[in-house]
């Protein structure tokens, strides 16, 4: 069960124009930086990207937007990206904005083999338009479908050659639920170890969900908003 | 009139010992600074953290440790990390006791709009729709009027909604208001130096005023 590939280029080798991708991360935290760079280099186009955010103008998915590689974004919050907003308002980019919890849970449903979920988020708003509403115990819920993604691309802190993954701090975010949800899941990790070196009790994503894994290089881990307090406080 | 810190201070008085609290971006984030040390309160950040602490000291910031506003933060002893699905699971399951968030408009029946201005601004709803759809205790922190001087407490929202019939309380620079189930704002307290008449002028929705309305006290 060795899932190791040489690097990002090999990991994304069969991602072609028109593919639907899930990309882990929240803001710029826990992004699969190596795979994004490889996708930018490869220049695949007409992509549908499912990701909570769209990066900033010069980092994360923002790099792919700049090159017009993205046909459609499915996200919950895109406020940090001027180029994104420009493409959206001019109609060049198709965007589906959905509640963050709905986004996460539609990933989870895919990974759990459930076709749909029911959530109250969006009831009475434009998010509910055209969707089935069911009432349970006196409260309305929207039926939201599990995602169907060709590839899920995630970033973990540590992984073993069998694809077992461990995340670090809030860089976990969407990565575990997306890792479960791809037809093909690609994981890039900061540390790649041998089977047995990760405690089975501490695995966040079991390797069965992961198809390819590689040790990433040169992580920038850019901070979006650096906030600090002074030591005199 | 209250400044942003004053609004945050007043809202902090709504927090009770033992609460799990979700703070939105903007003024709600400031509320954390005014929770008394004597109180046992855990802050939830919907990107996947319980136990959010203050900003790190300069040089100790960790790019892997951020809050829902993408700011670098610290974790307090007893913190827990989880994925985004579980984060909204605990919100949907009503484990979070209080949600404090900002708004562009609130209507007298408790509808809230805070994610989109058609044709102008499209940032997205983030976790706000999930929070307002499930939380039982929602306080809005906002300015009473918009930049054009128009009331944000309205008979009906004009902007695309984030949620319906969900806001329970509003704190603005002018006062504290309950949103009553029958569909009106009830003035509970007025900001120091602000008259009831000024508040009436700035409120477009139905406003109930009963008896003498006390001034806001920022002292615990």
């Amino acid at each position: 069960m060795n899932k190791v590939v040489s690097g990002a280029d090999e990991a994304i080798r069969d991602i072609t124009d028109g593919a639907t991708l899930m990309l882990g991360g929240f803001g710029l935290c826990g992004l699969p930086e190596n795979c994004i760079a490889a996708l930018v280099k490869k220049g695949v186009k007409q992509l549908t990207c499912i990701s909570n955010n769209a990066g900033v103008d010069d980092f994360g998915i923002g790099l792919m937007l700049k090159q017009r590689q993205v046909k459609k974004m499915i996200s919950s919050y895109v406020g940090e990206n001027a180029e994104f907003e420009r493409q959206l308002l001019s109609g060049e980019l198709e965007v589906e904005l959905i509640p963050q919890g709905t986004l996460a849970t539609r990933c989870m449903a895919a990974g759990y083999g459930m076709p749909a979920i029911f959530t109250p988020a969006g009831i009475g708003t434009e998010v509910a338009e055209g969707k089935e509403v069911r009432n349970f115990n006196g409260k309305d819920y929207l039926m939201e479908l599990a995602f169907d993604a060709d590839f899920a691309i995630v970033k973990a802190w540590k992984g073993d050659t069998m694809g077992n993954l461990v995340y670090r701090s809030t860089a976990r975010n969407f990565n575990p639920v997306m890792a479960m949800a791809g037809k093909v899941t690609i994981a890039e990790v900061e540390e790649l170890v041998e089977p047995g070196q990760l405690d089975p009790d501490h695995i966040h994503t079991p390797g069965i969900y992961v198809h390819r894994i590689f040790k990433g290089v040169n992580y920038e881990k850019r901070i979006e908003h650096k906030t600090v307090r002074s030591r005199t406080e | 009139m209250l400044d942003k810190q004053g609004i945050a201070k007043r809202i902090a008085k709504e927090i009770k010992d033992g609460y799990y609290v979700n703070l939105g971006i903007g003024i709600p984030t400031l509320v954390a600074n005014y929770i008394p040390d004597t109180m046992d309160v855990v802050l939830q950040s919907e990107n996947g953290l319980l136990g959010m602490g203050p900003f790190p000291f300069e040089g100790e910031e960790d790019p892997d440790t951020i809050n829902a506003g993408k700011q670098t933060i610290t974790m307090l002893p007893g913190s827990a990390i989880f994925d985004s699905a579980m984060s909204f699971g605990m919100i949907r399951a009503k484990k979070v006791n209080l949600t404090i968030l900002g708004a562009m408009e609130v209507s007298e029946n408790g509808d809230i709009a805070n994610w989109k201005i058609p044709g102008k601004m499209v940032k997205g709803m983030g976790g706000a729709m999930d929070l307002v759809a499930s939380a039982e205790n929602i306080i809005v922190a906002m300015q009473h009027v918009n930049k054009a001087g128009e009331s944000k407490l309205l008979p009906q929202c004009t902007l695309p909604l984030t949620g319906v019939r969900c806001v329970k309380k509003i704190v603005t620079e002018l006062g504290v208001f309950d949103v009553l189930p029958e569909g009106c704002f009830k003035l509970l307290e007025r900001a120091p130096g602000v008259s009831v008449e000024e508040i009436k002028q700035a409120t477009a929705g139905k406003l109930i005023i009963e008896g003498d309305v006390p001034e806001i006290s920022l002292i615990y």
Side-chain angles (χ1 to χ4, degrees), chain A residues 215-228:
Chain A
K215 185 184 179 312
V217 291
N218 302 324
Y219 282 103
E220 181 182 336
K221 291 198 182 186
R222 193 183 293 188
I223 291 173
E224 198 159 331
H225 300 298
K226 180 177 149 180
T227 44
V228 294

Side-chain angles (χ1 to χ4, degrees), chain B residues 11-200:
Chain B
I11 290 177
K13 292 176 75 174
E14 301 293 322
I15 295 174
K16 295 190 173 70
D17 197 36
Y19 265 15
Y20 290 91
V21 180
N22 180 288
L23 301 176
I25 297 164
I27 300 174
T29 305
L30 303 173
V31 174
N33 301 329
Y34 301 107
I35 302 170
D37 294 337
T38 52
M39 245 187 221
D40 215 358
V41 170
V42 176
L43 299 180
Q44 198 247 19
S45 190
E46 68 267 24
N47 54 319
L49 167 64
L50 278 166
M52 181 168 65
F55 295 150
F57 291 121
E58 175 79 43
E60 291 180 3
E61 61 277 8
D62 170 6
D64 287 341
T65 306
I66 64 170
N67 64 15
K70 286 102 180 176
Q71 297 170 309
T72 48
I73 42 132
T74 56
M75 289 187 270
L76 297 173
S79 284
I81 294 281
F82 34 86
D83 65 57
S84 300
M86 185 180 282
S87 182
F88 286 93
M90 64 185 71
I91 288 165
R92 243 180 260 122
K94 307 186 194 300
K95 306 296 180 189
V96 176
N97 305 99
L98 175 63
T99 291
I100 301 166
L101 76 174
M104 297 172 187
E105 295 176 346
V106 178
S107 77
E108 60 195 26
N109 67 355
D111 295 352
I112 177 171
N114 71 353
W115 72 282
K116 185 181 185 181
I117 303 173
K120 278 190 194 158
M121 186 284 286
V122 197
K123 291 187 187 300
M125 64 291 279
M129 277 194 188
D130 307 273
L131 282 157
V132 301
S134 292
E136 290 182 321
N137 196 2
I138 298 174
I139 301 178
V140 163
M142 67 175 188
Q143 301 298 318
H144 207 100
V145 296
N146 64 20
K147 280 176 187 147
E150 298 156 344
S151 179
K152 295 166 70 173
L153 284 75
L154 301 170
Q156 282 178 321
C157 292
T158 63
L159 296 170
L161 295 179
T162 308
V164 293
R165 293 183 170 276
C166 52
V167 178
K168 299 288 188 292
K169 190 167 265 187
I170 306 166
V171 180
T172 76
E173 76 278 19
L174 300 183
V176 182
F177 306 83
D178 264 349
V179 183
L180 300 182
E182 59 264 37
C184 58
F185 302 111
K186 184 181 179 187
L187 179 61
L188 301 177
E189 298 168 26
R190 55 196 172 77
V194 175
S195 70
V196 168
E197 200 49 44
E198 282 173 82
I199 294 168
K200 273 189 192 166

Side-chain angles (χ1 to χ4, degrees), chain A residues 120-129 133 140 142, chain B residues 111 129 160-164:
Chain A
I123 285 285
T125 76
E126 63 183 52
V127 166
E129 284 167 20
V133 176
D140 283 341
L142 280 184
Chain B
D111 295 352
M129 277 194 188
L161 295 179
T162 308
V164 293

